[in-house]
Structures are given as structure tokens and as C-alpha cells.
Amino acid sequence: MPILSISKEHCINCGTCEKICPMDVLRPGQETPEIVYRQDCQSCFLCRMYCPKNAIEITAERARPAVLPW
């Protein structure tokens, strides 16, 4: 799966990743945001780019193949 984990040691639970995710993969959690819809993650890396503490680990492979127009 694309989004692997959110580090509890580094995350300050600011909510930036939840707001920036275009696929609505993350939801508010107690200590860190929860990865609720992991299968919808498209590895756009926006959550990781905007995270002020680099607390998010993502793999480059997509959860499902891209839809082609033909």
C-alpha cells in the first residue's frame, strides 16, 4: 500500500495532512491522524511534502493501477 505509516515520535497532530489529501485517506486521530482509506491513496506525496515534521512514510507504488482513457 502507498501510505505506510505516520510516526508517533515526529507527528505533532497539526492536521495538515488531513486537509491536503485529495483522496481523503486520513482522518483525525488521538495521537496521530488515522490512515482510514489506505487503498485510495494514489501516492501523490502531498501529505509528506506539506508535513512540517516529515512524519509520514510513503512507498512509490500505487495501491491500484491508474485508469487509462482508452
Side-chain angles (χ1 to χ4, degrees):
M1 293 295 161
I3 186 166
L4 297 175
S5 64
I6 300 174
S7 171
K8 290 183 181 181
E9 290 107 27
H10 295 103
C11 182
I12 57 174
N13 209 5
C14 63
T16 303
C17 57
E18 300 160 19
K19 295 173 192 166
I20 201 71
C21 180
M23 299 304 292
D24 201 29
V25 172
L26 304 166
R27 299 292 174 152
Q30 295 289 335
E31 298 175 12
T32 63
E34 293 182 25
I35 305 167
V36 181
Y37 300 107
R38 188 179 307 240
Q39 70 276 8
D40 291 341
C41 180
Q42 293 298 303
S43 298
C44 66
F45 293 91
L46 287 175
C47 59
R48 186 170 183 192
M49 284 190 291
Y50 284 93
C51 179
K53 297 293 184 176
N54 292 325
I56 301 172
E57 186 177 353
I58 300 176
T59 172
E61 69 182 57
R62 293 180 183 257
R64 54 185 170 194
V67 178
L68 299 175
W70 46 273

